[in-house]
Amino acid sequence: MKLASSTNKARTLFARIAEPIYSLKPSSLGYPSQETQSAYYPGSHQTSAEEIAYVSQTMEINGILPENTRIRKTFRDGKVVFELLQASVETSDSSQELNTQNPIGVIRVVKGDHSQELQSICSHLQLATQHATNPRQRQFLEQYQQSFQTGDLEVYRQSQKTWVRDIAPAVENIFGFVENYRDPHGIRSEFEGLVAISDREETSVLTKLVQQSSVFIRRLPWTEGFLGNEGRGPFEKNLFKPPAFTSIHALAYCSSTLFGGINLPNYNDIRQECGFKNFVIANRRSAEANEADISPFVHPDDVQTFQKYKYTAFYICLALHELLGHGLGRMMTEEDGKFNFDRANPPINPLTKSPITSWYRPGQTWTSVFADLATAVEECRAQLVGAYLMDSPDLPALFGYPLSTDTATQDLTYNLYIQLGVDGLRGLQDFNVEAEKWGQAHSRGYFAILKCLLREGNGVMKVHCDSQKDQLTVSVDRDRIKTDGKQALRGMLLRLHIYRCTADVESCRPYFEDLSKVDGDFLEWRRIVMVKRKPKWTFVQANSFIENDQVVLREYEATTTGVIQSWAEREV
């Protein structure tokens, strides 16, 4: 209040936002309702999930990509009008009306969403082109600008093809409407920007994993029993091009969520055609190494071992998650009457033992087909790949860890299983009980893995609940990890991978929704998790300035004030 009353402009701005700030509801993210809200669907008139699906399907029919759009529901002359707000510097005096035969309402494309912000971004990107070190960098910077100016995502897709081919730059970047985790419908993305500096020494360690990637691919369950495609089978790419895997230190990372690892681009056709990039963000990852941060869900007898191997297990699993988890899989597709598989002799589905009966039809993508499930299933699948391969005895040495004995490798795997249980419990804090909705894709995936191990692991994992003491404790049976634990992970991983490759959302939805359903005893577990919840980490980022022709790095104190000052001085 004191800050808001400092100037007339501040008072005016505060008056506009005071009511929603102090309102208790909506209390979390989700489809617009009394309980949940989403900035992807603004306006005073609530847009229902059915209406959002209708508009999104119409966009797909009209060839409009959704990542840089929002939907605003309005009324004109008594009729429902859905304004499709497209992010661009350019604004439109008149709107384009989409062809639709559905009586729900009219759909109009309105350009110029976030125009002012994108204009500022384009101005800085124009300055950045002056410092490009090669023609390819200059090209994708110019493609960024063209896409942000016009709102044309096809141009942005071209920028991603150019960016992927810029191999091992000293300064790495990510710009655009990238991740769709916060959209309840799972297809619209938030803008993020990252500028980072490559760490060549750490990158050399990750390169060793890349060089051995084919070995680990052939250990995954969907390759079993197949001799063709160099032992990788029909549900893996014909040629796995080992991607760049780089350790980077973020100079600035502007996003609602700061991930420890990144795998981009998200467009699967570009990934299959041009490849992809993997990053481990070293100065974000280092937060996981905090030895003072002890989980309340680890048994006292396991704390010492857990703390000893926590960071090592996290790092190896993260690397597998990004490189192989997000990097693998062959989507069965049809485009212009052509199939990327033998239509007359389709691949055999290892789940049904029969030929596949579903695939991605023309214009369909992973996110358009799986919608709200897409991000949670993908993150869960990627995490399962890392967990499934963790007991490989040749893994630690690739990362330079001196775990030469079987006992040490077993301790590492044991530690990871405890971590799977801890992450599954911790994820419950992102479940909204009143709305019965998950607010975070990773958390939903982690909980589904925990539930799978509890159900299918034959006692490999247990969670002991003491409601009187508000205590939850994860326990893992070491003797069951290589047998029951691995078999449970195998079954879940195989299902999600085949569902994804064959566009089988009809089978995936009931399976995954059941595994991620929070009911019965799990509601009591969530209550205890909320009691034990720790304050969220605060990530304060530096800014760089040019003073007297010298680059100056300005850092800020790790407080709320430091975060605000950092963003204010960034002037975005």
Side-chain angles (χ1 to χ4, degrees):
M1 289 294 294
K2 183 177 179 181
L3 180 64
S5 62
S6 59
T7 66
N8 288 333
K9 183 177 181 180
R11 279 190 288 271
T12 301
L13 291 172
F14 183 72
R16 289 165 51 187
I17 63 174
E19 184 177 350
I21 281 180
Y22 289 116
S23 175
L24 296 179
K25 298 291 180 69
S27 56
S28 64
L29 298 179
Y31 285 110
S33 69
Q34 295 300 313
E35 302 292 338
T36 56
Q37 62 183 337
S38 172
Y40 291 104
Y41 310 102
S44 56
H45 302 288
Q46 283 187 3
T47 311
S48 68
E50 292 75 17
E51 291 170 330
I52 292 168
Y54 154 66
V55 175
S56 301
Q57 290 164 4
T58 304
M59 290 172 61
E60 183 179 318
I61 293 170
N62 284 266
I64 299 175
L65 295 171
E67 286 86 354
N68 65 344
T69 66
R70 301 192 293 165
I71 299 172
R72 180 169 61 201
K73 182 179 180 180
T74 62
F75 287 86
R76 293 181 185 175
D77 301 326
K79 296 181 179 180
V80 177
V81 176
F82 297 103
E83 293 181 335
L84 189 59
L85 308 178
Q86 192 173 61
S88 66
V89 175
E90 295 177 0
T91 58
S92 53
D93 296 329
S94 59
S95 55
Q96 169 195 356
E97 191 166 308
L98 299 185
N99 293 324
T100 175
Q101 299 178 349
N102 197 305
I104 290 182
V106 175
I107 303 174
R108 291 178 179 155
V109 180
V110 180
K111 302 185 73 170
D113 200 18
H114 305 300
S115 177
Q116 184 177 346
E117 293 86 352
L118 287 173
Q119 178 63 68
S120 176
I121 290 168
C122 285
S123 298
H124 286 86
L125 288 173
Q126 178 60 42
L127 293 173
T129 59
Q130 301 172 19
H131 303 279
T133 59
N134 59 58
R136 192 162 279 158
Q137 290 182 0
R138 188 174 298 107
Q139 183 181 6
F140 68 65
L141 289 170
E142 290 171 349
Q143 289 169 328
Y144 286 165
Q145 294 172 68
Q146 183 183 350
S147 174
F148 301 157
Q149 284 280 349
T150 63
D152 188 344
L153 284 182
E154 285 300 332
V155 176
Y156 183 74
R157 281 168 48 82
Q158 292 303 314
S159 78
Q160 296 301 279
K161 294 180 181 181
T162 310
W163 172 76
V164 162
R165 295 185 174 110
D166 182 35
I167 305 299
V171 177
E172 190 55 90
N173 77 93
I174 297 170
F175 281 98
F177 295 87
V178 178
E179 303 292 2
N180 54 13
Y181 297 114
R182 295 171 73 85
D183 174 22
H185 200 63
I187 61 174
R188 294 174 175 83
S189 300
E190 68 172 297
F191 190 94
E192 70 177 60
L194 178 145
V195 175
I197 300 169
S198 174
D199 185 320
R200 299 197 182 281
E201 184 177 343
E202 286 195 10
T203 297
S204 66
V205 175
L206 296 171
T207 301
K208 294 178 183 178
L209 176 62
V210 173
Q211 293 169 343
Q212 295 295 315
S213 56
S214 293
V215 174
F216 294 104
I217 290 172
R218 287 191 287 269
R219 295 176 184 174
L220 292 167
W222 53 89
T223 68
E224 295 172 5
F226 291 105
L227 299 177
N229 193 15
E230 296 184 1
R232 291 188 291 263
F235 300 101
E236 206 47 72
K237 302 178 183 71
N238 290 335
L239 177 63
F240 179 74
K241 300 177 182 178
F245 202 166
T246 310
S247 177
I248 57 178
H249 292 257
L251 179 62
Y253 188 175
C254 303
S255 175
S256 62
T257 304
L258 307 186
F259 298 107
I262 300 174
N263 178 290
L264 291 174
N266 284 330
Y267 298 106
N268 281 298
D269 59 324
I270 296 177
R271 296 163 67 85
Q272 296 195 157
E273 175 190 346
C274 305
F276 51 92
K277 289 185 179 183
N278 290 283
F279 305 111
V280 168
I281 304 175
N283 51 341
R284 164 61 181 87
R285 190 193 73 214
S286 62
E288 305 291 341
N290 183 2
E291 294 185 359
D293 183 29
I294 299 176
S295 171
F297 310 126
V298 177
H299 192 279
D301 293 345
D302 289 322
V303 167
Q304 184 175 356
T305 301
F306 184 76
Q307 294 298 104
K308 179 180 179 180
Y309 291 111
K310 178 177 70 171
Y311 178 71
T312 305
F314 167 80
Y315 182 34
I316 294 177
C317 192
L318 174 66
L320 293 168
H321 174 117
E322 297 298 337
L323 174 66
L324 301 180
H326 289 311
L328 296 182
R330 182 186 182 199
M331 306 299 214
M332 303 296 158
T333 61
E334 173 191 357
E335 201 66 49
D336 297 326
K338 297 180 180 180
F339 299 82
N340 70 343
F341 60 93
D342 187 348
R343 182 68 182 91
N345 186 28
I348 299 299
N349 185 329
L351 300 176
T352 64
K353 311 303 181 185
S354 301
I356 65 169
T357 57
S358 58
W359 55 86
Y360 292 90
R361 311 289 174 164
Q364 290 185 332
T365 65
W366 158 246
T367 53
S368 71
V369 172
F370 283 77
D372 58 307
L373 285 183
T375 53
V377 169
E378 174 61 4
E379 291 303 331
C380 183
R381 188 185 71 95
Q383 189 69 4
L384 283 166
V385 169
Y388 185 77
L389 293 173
M390 181 59 76
D391 64 349
S392 299
D394 44 352
L395 257 180
L398 286 177
F399 288 85
Y401 293 113
L403 303 181
S404 57
T405 67
D406 289 341
T407 302
T409 305
Q410 291 169 11
D411 282 345
L412 187 66
T413 307
Y414 176 70
N415 195 92
L416 177 76
Y417 271 72
I418 295 176
Q419 189 67 56
L420 291 175
V422 168
D423 287 344
L425 290 177
R426 193 167 55 187
L428 282 168
Q429 66 188 28
D430 291 314
F431 180 77
N432 185 306
V433 175
E434 294 174 327
E436 297 185 343
K437 295 290 184 182
W438 284 94
Q440 218 283 339
H442 294 76
S443 295
R444 184 179 184 182
Y446 294 156
F447 177 72
I449 293 173
L450 166 62
K451 203 167 174 181
C452 172
L453 287 169
L454 292 173
R455 281 185 178 181
E456 309 295 335
N458 194 27
V460 67
M461 181 176 291
K462 295 180 181 179
V463 175
H464 304 273
C465 177
D466 187 335
S467 296
Q468 296 294 321
K469 297 181 179 180
D470 288 336
Q471 183 62 51
L472 294 168
T473 306
V474 175
S475 66
V476 173
D477 187 336
R478 281 178 178 267
D479 296 333
R480 295 184 182 274
I481 289 177
K482 275 190 170 292
T483 53
D484 301 298
K486 184 144 187 167
Q487 192 63 24
L489 295 181
R490 179 192 180 280
M492 186 179 186
L493 174 56
L494 182 61
R495 280 176 176 267
L496 296 187
H497 187 80
I498 299 302
Y499 293 155
R500 179 177 182 268
C501 289
T502 61
D504 190 3
V505 68
E506 286 76 15
S507 298
C508 184
R509 184 170 292 280
Y511 173 74
F512 193 74
E513 287 185 343
D514 179 56
L515 274 181
S516 57
K517 185 176 182 180
V518 182
D519 59 359
D521 291 341
F522 299 120
L523 289 172
E524 173 63 8
W525 292 10
R526 182 192 177 275
R527 183 193 69 77
I528 296 173
V529 167
M530 298 305 288
V531 170
K532 299 290 186 179
R533 182 171 57 174
K534 298 180 179 180
K536 291 187 176 181
W537 288 341
T538 300
F539 292 98
V540 187
Q541 300 184 44
N543 287 322
S544 58
F545 301 88
I546 297 178
E547 297 178 0
N548 299 322
D549 294 326
Q550 297 292 319
V551 177
V552 176
L553 185 69
R554 187 175 301 166
E555 297 183 287
Y556 307 88
E557 60 184 42
T559 62
T560 303
T561 301
V563 173
I564 295 172
Q565 185 178 357
S566 170
W567 276 94
E569 294 187 4
R570 198 166 297 155
E571 296 183 346
V572 175

